[in-house]
Amino acid sequence: MLEIRGLHAWYGDSHVLHGLAMDIPRGRVVSLLGRNGAGKSATMRTIMGLLGKATGEINCNGVNLLKLRPDQIARKGIALCPEDRGIFPSLTVTENLFLPPVVAAGGMDIASIYALFPNIRERGASRGTQLSGGEQQMLAIARILRTGARLLLLDEPTEGLAPVIVQQIARVIREIKELGYTVLLVEQKAHFVESLADIHYLIENGTIVDRLESAEFAASRDRVERLLAV
Ligand SMILES: Nc1ncnc2c1ncn2[C@@H]1O[C@H](COP(=O)(O)OP(=O)(O)OP(=O)(O)O)[C@@H](O)[C@H]1O
Ligand SMILES: [Mg+2]
């Protein structure tokens, strides 16, 4: 689905991605693990065309996404669920859900969204501010499914959430994968991605330092934990 090669990106004058390379195959869950400031969000924002300057290649079906505008990238069926979740606090759950435009063919229908997120139906009339952190995260994922995206970029979806909610997010990611979606899952928690991702990439100082198949992950846990330790 995406092949990233020699990716460099800048926040203003600050060079934050240094020749990053990774593959995100269609239908797979790919994790991107790294500590604070490693460049995880910068990678996602660069895929979406949101960083001011970037060079290299992000190949999507023969097109280099670096040559496209953010709206054109969204039309390719790629959507970002940002760290701050990006929902509108003063709008109701239902308003939040129906606000995003369907930009790519095959946006998930409402019945399927409610099946995947039963809470969202129950909380339909509540405002964004009245939702728990877990409900906000569910709504944020539901919103990007509405747009028709087939590649979901999830930026630390479990951050700050209680273990029982983290389990619900894991269930949603498994079900999304079963439905054929592709997921790039940015995390700092190795135990969360261990049973979810097919491929794991480790990022440090804006570059990929290791790639692990899911079968190799358990044996490499010490190394992964050292990389993530602050
Ligand atoms: N708006 C910004 N302007 C300038 N530099 C930034 C900006 N946002 C992040 N950076 C810097 O870019 C580098 C990569 O940051 P990035 O946000 O991608 O890290 P991250 O891996 O997502 O970390 P975290 O786990 O804290 O979310 C860091 O050195 C960070 O300080
Ligand atoms: Mg981040």
Side-chain angles (χ1 to χ4, degrees):
M1 177 111 205
L2 291 188
E3 293 158 6
I4 305 179
R5 297 290 178 270
L7 186 63
H8 290 259
W10 289 260
Y11 272 114
D13 292 336
S14 166
H15 188 178
V16 294
L17 298 183
H18 302 270
L20 182 136
M22 66 189 295
D23 288 331
I24 305 171
R26 189 180 304 280
R28 299 301 173 92
V29 176
V30 175
S31 85
L32 180 61
L33 288 161
R35 65 166 75 101
N36 288 333
K40 306 182 297 299
S41 299
T43 301
M44 289 190 154
R45 293 177 57 81
T46 306
I47 293 171
M48 291 309 299
L50 297 172
L51 250 71
K53 184 178 164 203
T55 64
E57 189 180 14
I58 303 177
N59 177 20
C60 176
N61 302 324
V63 177
N64 186 355
L65 297 184
L66 294 182
K67 299 195 187 316
L68 303 185
R69 296 188 310 266
D71 61 297
Q72 295 171 314
I73 295 168
R75 274 173 226 287
K76 296 247 169 233
I78 304 174
L80 170 64
C81 188
E83 246 174 318
D84 68 5
R85 293 165 186 150
I87 64 171
F88 294 91
S90 61
L91 300 183
T92 67
V93 167
T94 306
E95 287 166 344
N96 265 288
L97 194 55
F98 282 91
L99 196 64
V102 176
V103 295
M108 192 182 275
D109 62 79
I110 286 298
S112 306
I113 296 227
Y114 288 154
L116 203 50
F117 307 95
N119 280 0
I120 287 186
R121 165 176 261 161
E122 287 163 27
R123 301 287 268 139
S126 306
R127 297 202 180 274
T129 44
Q130 297 170 309
L131 300 181
S132 68
E135 288 167 338
Q136 288 180 28
Q137 187 61 59
M138 297 290 185
L139 177 58
I141 298 173
R143 292 185 78 220
I144 64 173
L145 288 169
R146 280 277 300 151
T147 66
R150 299 295 298 177
L151 168 57
L152 312 183
L153 311 176
L154 306 182
D155 198 345
E156 299 199 41
T158 66
E159 196 183 4
L161 302 181
V164 57
I165 311 296
V166 171
Q167 288 311 309
Q168 291 174 19
I169 306 265
R171 170 190 60 81
V172 165
I173 292 172
R174 276 197 195 91
E175 290 183 21
I176 288 171
K177 187 192 167 189
E178 287 290 306
L179 293 169
Y181 288 82
T182 308
V183 177
L184 177 61
L185 180 59
V186 152
E187 268 297 337
Q188 291 193 50
K189 297 189 195 94
H191 63 88
F192 179 69
V193 300
E194 178 158 19
S195 64
L196 277 179
D198 304 295
I199 304 158
H200 303 271
Y201 283 95
L202 309 186
I203 181 173
E204 192 167 28
N205 298 324
T207 195
I208 298 297
V209 293
D210 211 348
R211 175 191 183 280
L212 300 165
E213 297 281 336
S214 60
E216 302 171 301
F217 196 71
S220 307
R221 264 302 280 277
D222 285 353
R223 181 173 146 55
V224 172
E225 295 296 350
R226 270 200 306 281
L227 181 99
L228 294 174
V230 268

